Amino acid sequence: MKLIDLIGQWLQHASLTKWLMILAFAVLGALMQRDLTIWGRLLAVAAGLGAAVIFAEPIRQFLSLDPSWSDAVAAGLALTGRNWAAFALRASRDPLATVGEFLRVWRGRS
């Protein structure tokens, strides 16, 4: 099955509550990032929405969660996707500093 078909099916079955939860968590996370530009924040919100739309149902099924958990999984993924985008934006500004930070954390110095 194509990704477009999966997204279309998800959009048809997603409730208004789920959309509001996804959007609220993606926007909340983007607003908390003081170091991102407006375009960076918009990209972070889009990444959060994308993560929630694409991964919510497969993760819920993989974890054998009841369908009532669907909104919570989607909200968590919206925030996680936003975090991924924010990290990627920061890492792209100074890749060497990002690698250095990873090494400090890996070695337990941070």
Side-chain angles (χ1 to χ4, degrees), residues 24-96:
F25 274 81
V27 169
L28 175 68
L31 290 175
M32 293 171 54
Q33 299 299 316
R34 301 283 183 214
D35 61 334
L36 294 180
T37 65
I38 187 69
W39 295 112
R41 290 178 189 202
L42 289 174
L43 178 64
V45 168
L49 292 173
V53 168
I54 293 170
F55 298 116
E57 196 58 27
I59 287 176
R60 185 194 64 76
Q61 290 176 358
F62 177 75
L63 296 174
S64 300
L65 295 173
D66 188 72
S68 64
W69 283 90
S70 184
D71 292 352
V73 171
L77 284 170
L79 196 55
T80 302
R82 196 254 351 134
N83 286 338
W84 292 337
F87 176 77
L89 288 169
R90 282 191 202 99
S92 68
R93 287 184 202 150
D94 191 355
L96 292 178

Side-chain angles (χ1 to χ4, degrees), residues 3-42:
L3 180 60
I4 298 295
D5 295 334
L6 288 173
I7 292 171
Q9 288 177 1
W10 188 88
L11 290 174
Q12 290 175 352
H13 291 63
S15 66
L16 181 60
T17 305
K18 180 181 272 188
W19 273 108
L20 291 175
M21 291 286 287
I22 291 170
L23 190 58
F25 274 81
V27 169
L28 175 68
L31 290 175
M32 293 171 54
Q33 299 299 316
R34 301 283 183 214
D35 61 334
L36 294 180
T37 65
I38 187 69
W39 295 112
R41 290 178 189 202
L42 289 174

Side-chain angles (χ1 to χ4, degrees), residues 100-110:
E101 183 65 27
F102 271 131
L103 291 175
R104 280 191 294 281
V105 169
W106 181 266
R107 294 174 182 156
R109 297 181 187 161
S110 181

